[in-house]
Amino acid sequence: MRTHSAALTGVAVASILALTACSGGGESVDLDGTTDSSSESSSEGASGATVIAAIAGEPDQLDPNNTSAYFSFQVLENVFDNLVEPDENLEMQPALAESWELSDDQLTWTFHLREGVTWHDGTDFTAGDVAYTYNRIMDEELANAWRFSAVESVEAPDDSTVVITVTQPSPNLLSSIGGFKGLGIVQEANVTSGEIQTAPIGTGPFSVTEYVSGDHISLAANEDYWGGEPEVAGVEFRFISEPSTALAALQNGEIDWTDNIPPQQVADLEGDDALVLGVEPSNDYWYFALNQDVEPFDDVRVRQAIAYAVDREAIVQAVSYGTAKENQLAIPQTSAWYTAYDEYNYDLERAQELLDEAGVSDLEIDFMATSDYPESSTAAQVLASSLEDLGITVTIRTPDFATWLDEQGSGNWDALMLGWLGNIDPDDFYYAQHHSEGGSNFQGYSNPDVDALLDSGRVETDEAARAEIYAEAATMIADDASYIYLYNPAIIQAWSPDLEGYVARSDAAIRFHDVSLAD
């Protein structure tokens, strides 16, 4: 929620974070006067057809540095570029930076930019834009400022060179600046005018041409894109909040792509020749957290008791019909950074012992889910049923996500559920959420030993040693029940067989640059 990684994608959610879409028409903003809002699926454009994609919600805004909404990033993935970017294997590759080198003392990163890159308005992209973007994020303490915690300065000594100086070796720097579109490079004039929130100007393969609030956003192919002009004329993102409606639209040929699919229908769709189904294990995770600033959740025995009362199998079945993967730590089994851990298997007897040791009975829990992520309220109901057997009463609240965020920040909750998405480096999975000074440590967790491990993991350049550090930290975090991890969801997308070249990715990035639409 993904708050990222936004918990939710990062997505945080990251925390990843989004507002539910409204369907139906809204006020149209034709940004360059070229878009035909009545376009139909696969309509012919200047150099091909237009891809019609259905997403489940509407972006809250289109400034990549200022939003944490997954629905925003679904669109912005195709509009903005980062200095570097992950390939399908999540290995960092050149993007706006063609190459880079690291000084012998590992404190100076020098990036060499591509020549001839232009913004969507035709002006030249320069190193000054990169320095402006990163300094803006740090100076204004925007949502992703924490990713620059080790950065001392960002300078542009000439138009094609960016120099990032760090205060300590930072093996995760490339992942930090490239693994998340929230670090996309923005144009200063577009920011200062305020137009970036609805009419962004990027350097990516598509430019925004029309935004109809409550209905759709249209993108046009960037014929001057440094990576080559897209084969399709554009992409129209339609906001369809109801999964069955989005799936029916795909099956009827009204749209070409969607990730809004009823999970209970995934098994049946596997043999449907009318569409292509992409199911990939994701790097996202969902968790359950207890507010450690509130009694009795400041007692680790109470948190552990509740951890033993979590029936992950029932939750996974209820929210995903078995497509998600149970997990007791954040990092999924498909990652090289995975650590095995299975302490908290469903055990109500052990849970009751811990509650008795803590002297807690007749406990009442205010559980905050959100109406914008229905799976959080579904999981909350399963949790409430399990906890009833321990004499715990759970009251479930489901505010809209904007209210949910305010409540999370104010500490007005006993328990909540959310997810993080788009994580790549182990630092993404743990530091902001569990370090005492972490920017998303809303649950109030503090363990000096974990802090020391997370600090050392950030500067350790030996990969094997780094893996050991994060394995130890993750295990301690789980033992302390800072988060009670639930599952890693699957990436589930479907598209028309006529849409060729599309790849479902484990980081949930939706990229249409390399696709084509058959006639």
Side-chain angles (χ1 to χ4, degrees):
M1 255 173 263
R2 284 173 197 182
T3 358
H4 344 47
S5 103
L8 285 193
T9 2
V11 140
V13 256
S15 30
I16 277 133
L17 309 182
L19 300 176
T20 297
C22 300
S23 59
E27 182 180 356
S28 172
V29 181
D30 190 350
L31 300 174
D32 64 2
T34 61
T35 301
D36 177 6
S37 62
S38 63
S39 58
E40 297 298 330
S41 174
S42 305
S43 59
E44 290 297 323
S47 59
T50 294
V51 176
I52 310 298
I55 57 178
E58 180 173 359
D60 63 338
Q61 60 167 297
L62 299 178
D63 179 348
N65 303 155
N66 249 326
T67 182
S68 55
Y70 180 53
F71 299 138
S72 295
F73 293 125
Q74 288 182 293
V75 176
L76 300 179
E77 183 71 40
N78 299 278
V79 177
F80 287 93
D81 290 314
N82 289 35
L83 212 52
V84 297
E85 64 182 14
D87 61 17
E88 295 169 20
N89 299 315
L90 306 187
E91 299 289 337
M92 289 300 154
Q93 303 295 334
L96 290 174
E98 199 165 38
S99 62
W100 55 88
E101 65 248 7
L102 179 60
S103 63
D104 290 341
D105 64 3
Q106 303 196 46
L107 297 179
T108 304
W109 294 74
T110 303
F111 293 88
H112 304 284
L113 306 189
R114 294 179 187 277
E115 295 182 356
V117 177
T118 58
W119 294 98
H120 293 151
D121 63 1
T123 58
D124 292 334
F125 160 78
T126 70
D129 296 310
V130 180
Y132 167 75
T133 299
Y134 290 169
N135 284 313
R136 174 199 184 208
I137 293 171
M138 290 185 288
D139 293 345
E140 298 181 19
E141 299 182 352
L142 301 184
N144 293 292
W146 63 274
R147 295 177 186 269
F148 292 99
S149 60
V151 173
E152 183 175 87
S153 65
V154 181
E155 298 175 329
D158 57 56
D159 283 349
S160 60
T161 307
V162 174
V163 177
I164 299 178
T165 303
V166 292
T167 58
Q168 58 190 21
S170 302
N172 62 330
L173 182 72
L174 293 182
S175 174
S176 290
I177 63 175
F180 183 54
K181 200 57 71 178
L183 278 295
I185 306 304
V186 300
Q187 184 194 64
E188 183 174 2
N190 192 223
V191 172
T192 55
S193 70
E195 294 180 349
I196 191 172
Q197 295 186 10
T198 56
I201 294 174
T203 59
F206 297 93
S207 61
V208 177
T209 56
E210 185 186 51
Y211 185 179
V212 182
S213 180
D215 193 74
H216 72 271
I217 294 177
S218 296
L219 311 182
N222 175 9
E223 63 181 12
D224 297 321
Y225 184 53
W226 56 265
E229 182 182 6
E231 287 194 40
V232 295
V235 182
E236 180 178 306
F237 286 93
R238 295 181 181 174
F239 315 139
I240 301 178
S241 59
E242 176 56 47
S244 59
T245 303
L247 178 58
L250 177 65
Q251 293 173 318
N252 293 334
E254 298 168 8
I255 63 172
D256 303 303
W257 179 98
T258 187
D259 65 347
N260 193 12
I261 301 167
Q264 63 269 34
Q265 295 190 34
V266 170
D268 293 337
L269 294 176
E270 290 178 347
D272 189 339
D273 294 335
L275 53 81
V276 178
L277 185 67
V279 181
E280 291 289 326
S282 79
N283 277 15
D284 309 344
Y285 70 85
W286 284 78
Y287 67 94
F288 170 54
L290 294 158
N291 190 343
Q292 297 170 43
D293 292 327
V294 176
E295 292 182 350
F297 309 115
D298 57 340
D299 188 326
V300 66
R301 295 170 297 184
V302 175
R303 301 195 301 273
Q304 290 171 337
I306 293 173
Y308 280 112
V310 171
D311 186 346
R312 289 177 178 77
E313 182 178 357
I315 291 174
V316 165
Q317 188 61 34
V319 303
S320 76
Y321 290 82
T323 60
K325 188 77 172 178
E326 296 174 38
N327 204 354
Q328 295 195 26
L329 297 180
I331 299 178
Q333 293 185 28
T334 51
S335 171
W337 301 100
Y338 171 73
T339 299
Y341 183 92
D342 62 356
E343 175 61 32
Y344 294 119
N345 293 319
Y346 185 52
D347 188 342
L348 291 182
E349 183 176 347
R350 178 58 179 148
Q352 188 61 62
E353 290 175 355
L354 285 163
L355 285 180
D356 292 343
E357 290 176 14
V360 172
S361 60
D362 300 323
L363 181 60
E364 296 182 359
I365 294 179
D366 168 36
F367 191 115
M368 189 169 65
T370 171
S371 57
D372 288 332
Y373 290 99
E375 67 188 280
S376 66
S377 55
T378 301
Q381 292 168 15
V382 177
L383 278 164
S385 178
S386 296
L387 295 178
E388 282 179 1
D389 295 333
L390 296 174
I392 298 174
T393 301
V394 178
T395 301
I396 301 171
R397 285 190 288 146
T398 56
D400 62 63
F401 196 59
T403 303
W404 190 101
L405 288 172
D406 289 341
E407 292 283 86
Q408 176 188 237
S410 66
N412 185 28
W413 51 280
D414 294 332
L416 55 74
M417 178 183 170
L418 203 61
W420 279 78
L421 62 78
N423 308 285
I424 297 178
D425 190 88
D427 185 75
D428 302 337
F429 286 89
Y430 293 113
Y431 191 94
Q433 304 91 325
H434 305 290
H435 192 283
S436 297
E437 304 299 324
S440 295
N441 185 358
F442 295 104
Q443 74 277 21
Y445 175 64
S446 181
N447 182 329
D449 293 333
V450 170
D451 288 350
L453 287 166
L454 295 179
D455 286 336
S456 63
R458 282 192 154 186
V459 300
E460 177 56 62
T461 57
D462 181 273
E463 189 165 307
R466 202 162 179 250
E468 291 182 5
I469 289 170
Y470 282 106
E472 185 176 0
T475 301
M476 293 174 69
I477 289 167
D479 287 345
D480 288 341
S482 173
Y483 276 3
I484 299 170
Y485 296 101
L486 300 174
Y487 58 87
N488 301 110
I491 301 295
I492 303 172
Q493 302 171 350
W495 55 93
S496 164
D498 291 337
L499 181 65
E500 299 176 350
Y502 182 81
V503 177
R505 298 165 52 106
S506 61
D507 61 353
I510 299 168
R511 297 181 180 178
F512 289 112
H513 173 244
D514 295 324
V515 307
S516 61
L517 269 170
D519 294 333

